Amino acid sequence: MGDAIDLKKISILGATGSVGSQALEIVRAFPDKLKVVCLSANEDIEGLAAAANEFKPEVVAFTGSDGQQKLASMLPDGTELIYGKNTLERAVMSVDTDLVVLAVLGIAGLPAFFSCLENNIPVALANKESLVCGADVAQKRMDETGTQVLPVDSEHSGIFQCLGNSYDTQDVERIWITASGGPFLYASKEEIDNAPVERALKHPNWSMGEKITIDSASLANKGLEVIEAFYLFRMPADKINVVVHPQSLIHAMVEMKDSSVTAQIGPVDMRLPLQKAMLYPEMCKFSMNKPLNFLEIGTIELLPPDMERFPCLKLAYDAIENDVTAAYNIADEEAVDLYIRGRIRFGEISGIVEDAMAKFAGVHPGSLVEIMDLDERVREYIRQKN
């Protein structure tokens, strides 16, 4: 990084989404440490233009299909607009960046993740789908290049912190990932299966985008986190356990071989793990939320997850066992989209995922091209059936 006065150059991909917007809050909080050099968005032209005019990045990347000319007219002088084919990869390579905050939604972030790995650009990974779909291919690239990948999910950040800011699980017996239980924690299976979108979007603790909020309601998001932990921390799937914790204060626990347990506890605020990743290895005061007061917390509940009411969680373990994690994620993306558009019931999401996993059980992509091809095939299969 050079002299202490140098600013850490940050690229934020998915800057107008929930995580990207919070990443910009971190930049605002530390103007003497962070500088934005690249921003991207897919649809929100106004939001992207506003951020560009505030942070004056060298490059803005737009992955949407329409509105490039409008966006270009709204950008500040000196900011280059990139769009078209391979937008995110080109944007990342066009600037000198110290860290890419990958907050793009879904498998769309995978090519940019691979580009970062191939060019040894450190990544703050908020896009769990990159590992879930990249699977063995991404894990191999990470090993080959030694590129620094910092977890942003509160759970994986928690595990990382419990391990002393490392991925070393040599002496680990078990990893515990917590789940809030979402809006349907105490609902019957019939209520869950027929729940309207409005209810599924009412998460009790976290404020997130639509897709991840629906996934939290079905526990598919927790399934994706189990898969991400499997690839990040190299632990057997049966050593990665989920425990329901409605208060969402404990984000992760690591049990060592001597049965001692370390827990990471923090406020319900995604900006904290974001700050840790963006400023890593430096630790700075977190001023956007008040510290926890353990005398005010009261009860902390830990409950077993119900795999019958929330089958998407069990399917995630099946996906690891059968090496179909990409199909799991892609099918879930399509199913959630169908649910949001009123085409299927909430209870049908898991069935669509399970069907796609069975259909593509023998397909094991060996490259980025093959993963993206599988993405198209799974989506086409689901659309033809629904």
Side-chain angles (χ1 to χ4, degrees):
M1 285 289 299
D3 297 334
I5 59 171
D6 287 349
L7 297 177
K8 191 172 189 178
K9 297 182 285 293
I10 305 287
S11 295
I12 303 176
L13 306 185
T16 60
S18 175
V19 174
S21 297
Q22 291 177 86
L24 290 175
E25 289 188 53
I26 305 300
V27 178
R28 289 189 191 99
F30 295 96
D32 58 332
K33 296 181 182 297
L34 302 173
K35 174 180 172 56
V36 174
V37 295
C38 176
L39 295 171
S40 89
N42 181 50
E43 293 179 346
D44 187 356
I45 293 174
E46 285 75 16
L48 182 56
N53 279 280
E54 177 181 356
F55 294 97
K56 305 292 192 296
E58 297 171 26
V59 166
V60 159
F62 182 64
T63 57
S65 58
D66 188 39
Q68 294 92 338
Q69 289 186 339
K70 178 182 178 182
L71 176 59
S73 69
M74 300 168 71
L75 296 179
D77 292 341
T79 294
E80 177 188 359
L81 174 61
I82 294 178
Y83 59 92
K85 191 175 181 181
N86 304 322
T87 303
L88 296 181
E89 303 95 288
R90 287 162 48 215
V92 166
M93 295 308 300
S94 69
V95 293
D96 176 18
T97 186
D98 297 312
L99 180 73
V100 170
V101 179
L102 187 54
V104 175
L105 181 65
I107 195 175
L110 185 61
F113 182 52
F114 271 60
S115 182
C116 289
L117 295 181
E118 289 166 2
N119 294 281
N120 203 18
I121 301 172
V123 179
L125 188 63
N127 172 280
K128 61 178 69 67
E129 295 88 353
S130 290
L131 268 180
V132 172
C133 294
D136 296 326
V137 183
Q139 193 178 62
K140 183 180 178 183
R141 293 280 179 90
M142 289 165 64
D143 290 342
E144 289 172 347
T145 65
T147 303
Q148 185 180 67
V149 177
L150 299 166
V152 168
D153 265 348
S154 60
E155 295 80 4
H156 303 89
S157 177
I159 298 167
F160 188 71
Q161 293 171 60
C162 287
L163 294 172
N165 292 340
S166 81
Y167 291 109
D168 182 6
T169 55
Q170 181 178 345
D171 295 322
V172 174
E173 176 63 27
R174 193 177 311 278
I175 287 173
W176 295 88
I177 296 175
T178 60
S180 70
F184 303 141
L185 176 58
Y186 301 110
S188 68
K189 181 161 176 49
E190 183 179 357
E191 285 180 287
I192 296 170
D193 287 351
N194 296 288
V197 173
E198 302 76 45
R199 186 175 176 192
L201 287 173
K202 289 182 179 177
H203 197 282
N205 298 339
W206 298 94
S207 176
M208 306 172 290
E210 277 191 342
K211 190 338 183 123
I212 191 172
T213 304
I214 299 296
D215 279 347
S216 294
S218 70
L219 291 196
N221 187 57
K222 207 52 52 180
L224 292 169
E225 289 174 3
V226 168
I227 298 170
E228 184 180 4
F230 173 76
Y231 287 113
L232 271 180
F233 298 98
R234 320 297 172 100
M235 289 288 290
D238 62 356
K239 299 285 188 180
I240 304 172
N241 294 85
V242 172
V243 58
V244 176
H245 169 46
Q247 293 77 27
S248 296
L249 298 173
I250 302 172
H251 303 295
M253 297 179 285
V254 172
E255 178 183 337
M256 307 305 287
K257 289 181 178 177
D258 64 1
S259 296
S260 62
V261 179
T262 301
Q264 193 274 326
I265 304 174
V268 183
D269 196 328
M270 267 298 299
R271 293 172 298 183
L272 182 54
L274 263 169
Q275 175 176 314
K276 284 186 170 292
M278 292 170 69
L279 294 174
Y280 183 85
E282 187 175 2
M283 183 176 293
C284 300
K285 182 174 178 60
F286 182 67
S287 59
M288 283 171 275
N289 203 326
K290 65 180 182 179
L292 293 178
N293 184 333
F294 289 95
L295 299 178
E296 295 177 351
I297 287 174
T299 302
I300 288 182
E301 298 174 274
L302 298 173
L303 310 167
D306 188 332
M307 302 276 194
E308 290 188 10
R309 287 188 300 139
F310 301 99
C312 283
L313 180 55
K314 180 184 183 302
L315 288 174
Y317 286 96
D318 294 343
I320 294 173
E321 181 179 352
N322 297 298
D323 194 19
V324 287
T325 59
Y328 174 93
N329 176 81
I330 299 161
D332 177 65
E333 285 187 21
E334 279 297 308
V336 169
D337 181 63
L338 287 169
Y339 171 64
I340 289 174
R341 292 192 288 121
R343 299 278 299 278
I344 63 170
R345 295 181 301 112
F346 188 87
E348 294 177 89
I349 292 175
S350 60
I352 289 174
V353 173
E354 185 172 18
D355 178 50
M357 285 169 54
K359 172 68 176 178
F360 296 93
V363 182
H364 306 295
S367 68
L368 175 60
V369 172
E370 291 178 7
I371 295 169
M372 301 311 290
D373 177 66
L374 175 63
D375 179 64
E376 292 182 9
R377 292 170 59 193
V378 173
R379 293 181 193 278
E380 182 61 26
Y381 173 73
I382 292 172
R383 288 166 184 167
Q384 286 181 351
K385 295 191 68 173
N386 295 277

